[in-house]
Amino acid sequence: MIAGIVTGAFLQLIMPNGSDLVIPLYLFDFSVRGFFVDGVFEVIGQIFVASLRMLVVPLVFVSLICGTCSLKDTSKLGRIGGKAIGLYLMTTAIAISFAMSLALFVSPGEGVNMASETTFASKEAPSLAQVLINMFPSNPFASFAQGNMLQVIIFALLFGIAIALSGQAGERVAKIFTDMNEVIMRLVAILMNIAPYGVFCLLAGLFTDVSLKTFGNLLVYFLVVFFALLVHGLVTYPVILKVLTGLNPLVFLKKMRNTIVFAFSTSSSNATIPVTLETATKKMGVKNSIASFTVPLGATINMDGTAIMQGVATVFIAQVFNVDLSITDFLMVILTATLASIGTAGVPGVGLIMLAMVLEQVGLPVEGIGLIIGVDRLLDMTRTAVNVTGDTMVTLIVGKTEGEFEKDIYLDDKAGTQIEEIDFHHLKEQ
Ligand code: ASP
């Protein structure tokens, strides 16, 4: 990750403002941007993200079925779901309330006078009824094909419950899924081999063109969001974790490192699911019966980092357009942002689409998004890192309080860090 950022910064130095460096060679002109940024970095980076995303649907489906049918008592599911959803909503509400208070205090939009350069097409906020209806698939294969995670989760839960209730036939099917789970986890391990190159290429490409200097008026906005994200990740989460579980939060943060790097470089909680799931189970000791449910659920409905950006952005845009927000407006923002996050998946840039819904609810001009879009890429990366940290923390809390947790693994520094040796030789022999 660091090598990628340094390489990108260096390339930016020699090719400022999106320019190219062309080196005339004997037979042809060599374009540094064309070869590296638009070539190698783009290709490897995108292949890396695609291969992570490729794993998400099969992994979630199979491991969630294994998780559900291994729960001794399936009525526990309701309680686990309630706890997870309650915690997800609570942390999101805390995040956005804190972000808005901070933004009101710093006033990043005061005195900023700028015309928005980009137009932004808004979308209507889905109604709560629609969100609930949409969770249930009418065609599970369509849900797989579209990667609609909430629908995949619901289908897998029902399927798992049915397996658990089907006696011997259920046991036979469960065995197949347990074996499949092994195979898919192995596939995750195989693809993790390209992760360092993928992360390097994504970040090198990105940092070639991103520059803090061009932020100008938006620097204060950027810093407020960034600071709020840091506080939420490094103070609020550790405090919640300590209070609700008594576990040492430093161990948690240390074990989150890898997952954070993935989230940061892919900007997608969804694509990071395979890594988050591994971290929660192998490094932190939460049983798969809990993590296979709460991790994908969190990646879909829990977006604290995104809520923070939305809180600050709403205050910023209101200030730029000289609109006074009432207390009711604030409560409305908190409510809409929290609910909007349920219906939208964790993919890059989705936070801005949700922001459009929030702005509309309180009558702020949606064009305001055009003002902040320029600095959103870096913030997207950072808030995704916060989002996955929140997912993992809630998973840990639910696992610990349900007794589906092994403390020895949590305390073991080395747990889950051994790189699995993959022996390709016998494949060749075959
Ligand atoms: N990229 C974020 C995520 O995947 C969502 C967003 O804020 O745009 O969690």
Side-chain angles (χ1 to χ4, degrees), residues 263 266-272 298-300 302-307 309-310 344-354 376-377 379-381 383-388 391:
T266 59
S267 287
S268 168
S269 320
N270 252 13
T272 313
T300 316
N302 181 50
M303 296 183 195
D304 297 355
T306 307
M309 175 280 284
Q310 290 170 343
T344 29
V347 290
V350 76
L352 286 185
I353 296 171
M354 284 152 56
D376 199 62
R377 192 68 182 88
L379 289 178
D380 194 6
M381 300 163 78
R383 68 185 182 242
T384 309
V386 172
N387 291 346
V388 298
D391 302 342

Side-chain angles (χ1 to χ4, degrees), residues 5 14 32 39 49 54 89 110 114 156-157 165 174 196 209 233 297 321 334 338 345 368 389 412 418:
I5 294 176
I14 58 174
V32 174
V49 175
M54 166 183 92
L89 295 183
E110 211 98 301
M114 39 202 294
L157 283 178
L165 297 177
D209 288 321
L297 184 70
F321 287 93
I334 295 176
T338 312
T389 310
D412 179 1
Q418 295 88 344

Side-chain angles (χ1 to χ4, degrees), residues 11 14-15 18-41 208:
L11 288 176
I14 58 174
M15 298 184 299
S19 57
D20 193 3
L21 178 70
V22 180
I23 305 170
L25 293 181
Y26 184 59
L27 286 176
F28 60 96
D29 288 342
F30 178 79
S31 151
V32 174
R33 176 174 288 274
F35 183 77
F36 287 110
V37 184
D38 302 332
V40 179
F41 297 163
T208 308

Side-chain angles (χ1 to χ4, degrees), residues 239 241 274 296 336 401:
V239 171
L241 186 67
T336 335
T401 54

Side-chain angles (χ1 to χ4, degrees), residues 285-344:
V286 181
K287 295 266 173 65
N288 187 46
S289 53
I290 302 285
S292 65
F293 174 43
T294 52
V295 167
L297 184 70
T300 316
I301 73 168
N302 181 50
M303 296 183 195
D304 297 355
T306 307
I308 286 177
M309 175 280 284
Q310 290 170 343
V312 180
T314 311
V315 174
F316 176 79
I317 290 170
Q319 286 170 347
V320 172
F321 287 93
N322 267 324
V323 181
D324 278 328
L325 292 176
S326 65
I327 286 285
T328 335
D329 289 336
F330 279 109
L331 293 178
M332 200 64 194
V333 171
I334 295 176
L335 197 70
T336 335
T338 312
L339 289 181
S341 72
I342 298 180
T344 29

Side-chain angles (χ1 to χ4, degrees), residues 89-332:
L89 295 183
M90 182 193 84
T91 49
T92 306
I94 295 179
I96 190 164
S97 313
F98 168 65
M100 287 177 87
S101 319
L102 186 71
L104 281 177
F105 181 69
V106 180
S107 297
E110 211 98 301
V112 173
N113 200 349
M114 39 202 294
S116 78
E117 289 151 13
T118 336
T119 48
F120 194 86
S122 70
K123 281 199 180 173
E124 283 238 338
S127 68
L128 187 58
Q130 204 53 48
V131 169
L132 289 176
I133 296 172
N134 285 347
M135 280 166 57
F136 287 80
S138 55
N139 176 353
F141 293 99
S143 326
F144 292 156
Q146 291 156 2
N148 184 327
M149 292 322 286
L150 280 183
Q151 295 187 350
V152 174
I153 290 173
I154 294 280
F155 182 62
L157 283 178
L158 293 175
F159 205 87
I161 293 174
I163 291 177
L165 297 177
S166 298
Q168 285 196 345
E171 276 169 27
R172 288 194 294 270
V173 177
K175 181 91 187 53
I176 297 176
F177 275 99
T178 322
D179 288 350
M180 279 283 274
N181 202 29
E182 280 286 310
V183 174
I184 291 188
M185 287 316 268
R186 174 62 57 169
L187 183 57
V188 174
I190 294 174
L191 290 174
M192 285 306 148
N193 286 329
I194 68 160
Y197 309 101
V199 168
F200 172 83
C201 288
L202 280 179
L203 292 178
L206 205 84
F207 276 81
T208 308
D209 288 321
V210 94
S211 149
L212 278 183
K213 265 186 252 144
T214 57
F215 283 16
N217 272 329
L218 290 173
L219 193 60
V220 182
Y221 161 78
F222 179 88
L223 291 176
V224 173
V225 180
F226 196 77
F227 178 72
L229 288 171
L230 282 187
V231 172
H232 198 68
L234 300 178
V235 181
T236 313
Y237 284 153
V239 171
I240 297 179
L241 186 67
K242 182 81 197 163
V243 171
L244 294 185
T245 64
L247 293 171
N248 181 352
L250 288 181
V251 176
F252 170 75
L253 288 178
K254 205 164 147 222
K255 294 196 168 202
M256 275 308 293
R257 253 189 345 207
N258 245 355
T259 321
I260 286 176
V261 169
F262 270 82
F264 188 75
S265 37
T266 59
S267 287
S268 168
S269 320
N270 252 13
T272 313
I273 288 176
V275 189
T276 319
L277 205 52
E278 259 209 323
T279 305
T281 50
K282 299 217 172 116
K283 291 192 180 164
M284 302 204 184
V286 181
K287 295 266 173 65
N288 187 46
S289 53
I290 302 285
S292 65
F293 174 43
T294 52
V295 167
L297 184 70
T300 316
I301 73 168
N302 181 50
M303 296 183 195
D304 297 355
T306 307
I308 286 177
M309 175 280 284
Q310 290 170 343
V312 180
T314 311
V315 174
F316 176 79
I317 290 170
Q319 286 170 347
V320 172
F321 287 93
N322 267 324
V323 181
D324 278 328
L325 292 176
S326 65
I327 286 285
T328 335
D329 289 336
F330 279 109
L331 293 178
M332 200 64 194

